[in-house]
Amino acid sequence: MAKAPVLTPQSEDFPRWYQDLINKAELADNGPVRGTMVIRPYGYGLWERMQQEMDARIKDAGAQNAYFPLFIPQSYLTREAEHVEGFAPELAVVTHGGGKELEEPVVVRPTSETIINDYFSKWIQSYRDLPLLINQWANVVRWEMRPRVFLRTTEFLWQEGHTAHATYEDARDYAAYIHKEVYADFMVNVLGIDVVLGRKTPRERFAGAINTLTLEGMMGDGKALQMGTSHELGTNFSKAFNTTYLSKDGRQELAWQTSWGTSTRMVGGLIMSHGDDNGLRVPPRLAAVQVVVMAIKGDEAVAKVREIGDRLKAAGLRVQVDDRIDTPFGRRAVDWELKGVPVRIEIGPRDLEAGTAMLARRIPGGKEPVRLDALAELLPAVLEEGQAQLLLESRERRESRTTEVRTIDEAAEAAVAGGWARIPWSTLGQEGEARLAEQAVSVRCLVAEDGSVPEADDAPGTVAIVARAY
């Protein structure tokens, strides 16, 4: 009788495979309140690495980290009409505290444009205070009707950047810089996901923004996932909160603003972009554990894996030693395969006699014997090969499953079949976008014919990327 697979095969039931992997790889669990999640240590390790890589890029862009309160007076949200209308269905509102009804209800942070603007209006006095570039690592709450771990949860972790500038051009350019040089650089070169950079349609734009830039990734089942966004807010929030500055000419001017964010949704994107029927595959540049050194059995092997682990750590690799020889080797190997550690170094008594180890690659797979004294020199190149392989697979999947179409019906068919469609925006338009929405198909972003980000919704040659989405 054939042994049952550890995970539901992707081809059989992709959503079930996703949930199986989260459970079996010990990434997360459902929280006690519907829509919340508990992120387990291995899953949180992935998020910590994402934080580290993103935080460095954000600071290189000139932003500084700060923290603002979780509770926001409800009246703050009502100051910007489009903003409150956009978030109203998702708000969690506290009406009682300390055993009595509050004088004014407070909203549990869904995003921080309003409260940060309240302080920007105090901190900004003149043009010398600009640009003001702030980032916050925090949690937010948006009451989710259809929760899914990492992808859509009532509470999730994220970073949110908020900036104020003297001119429209400066704000526009900064939002574009974050979009490309921070977010895209991280997602392509660390996550190994070949995202498409584009502009959101007015229908999909962030509530209160004049323009939203997005990064869309194709998942293993052909659906799209919005991986991050960068918004031009214009002066909408500045008007609502009187965020003004004294210009060089001595005039009071409204500040031009941006906001931008990525979240733990990226962990879900990582799983669905790179996972296979054997488990997760973690890009080596991201991996909290790049190499696991495993003792198969025997006290001598245990001593040797500890020695090799120290040697590889000294060489700059992120290493974990697995010397649990009281647990069957096969079970441990399957666990590390599920967790997607890029490389396993397996050492047993026979390997010690030969002065070799078995090198098992998670990406692209396979095993080969290598000399113990060559590991430190060999592994960096092996890890970079795995990193490049994941990005190549991501790009090839997107290109092979994207169809050029000319009609709205063809666009819907391509999306329903499990891929993306490219259709001229002049052909689709907002009326066609509304028709697609009736079939649970959305315009993920607008791009120029050459793949760049168009400067305006109606720029000549603008193409709509159409897909079903998470």
Side-chain angles (χ1 to χ4, degrees), residues 57 60 62 70 90 138 149 151-152 224 276 312 315 348 413 417 421 466:
R57 287 166 171 77
D60 283 346
L70 173 68
E90 301 175 309
V149 174
L151 301 177
R152 291 187 178 276
D276 61 19
L312 296 180
E413 287 173 9
V466 173

Side-chain angles (χ1 to χ4, degrees), residues 76-147:
Y76 280 30
L77 271 75
T78 62
R79 295 194 202 178
E80 213 291 323
E82 187 180 350
H83 188 69
V84 70
E85 181 181 353
F87 278 100
E90 301 175 309
L91 295 181
V93 182
V94 179
T95 59
H96 290 71
K100 61 181 181 180
E101 186 172 355
L102 301 178
E103 291 185 9
E104 178 185 355
V106 297
V107 172
V108 183
R109 175 175 54 216
T111 182
S112 298
E113 278 78 8
T114 56
I115 192 169
I116 288 178
N117 258 279
D118 186 56
Y119 285 87
F120 274 13
S121 66
K122 299 175 183 178
W123 297 344
I124 297 170
Q125 301 299 321
S126 82
Y127 69 91
R128 296 182 182 88
D129 300 319
L130 299 174
L132 180 55
L133 313 174
I134 295 292
N135 179 64
Q136 173 174 237
W137 291 96
N139 62 337
V140 293
V141 170
R142 298 179 185 176
W143 216 257
E144 183 57 54
M145 296 297 103
R146 294 177 295 171

Side-chain angles (χ1 to χ4, degrees), residues 206-260:
F206 177 74
I210 62 172
N211 182 32
T212 291
L213 303 173
T214 183
L215 303 102
E216 303 287 330
M218 180 184 280
M219 303 297 99
D221 60 352
K223 289 184 179 179
L225 185 71
Q226 179 180 292
M227 300 284 289
T229 48
S230 181
H231 315 289
E232 297 174 43
L233 302 179
T235 58
N236 289 342
F237 289 90
S238 295
K239 291 174 183 174
F241 286 85
N242 194 32
T243 308
T244 62
Y245 70 96
L246 187 67
S247 72
K248 289 182 180 180
D249 299 329
R251 295 194 303 267
Q252 286 293 326
E253 303 279 0
L254 289 166
W256 293 82
Q257 294 185 271
T258 77
S259 67
W260 25 276

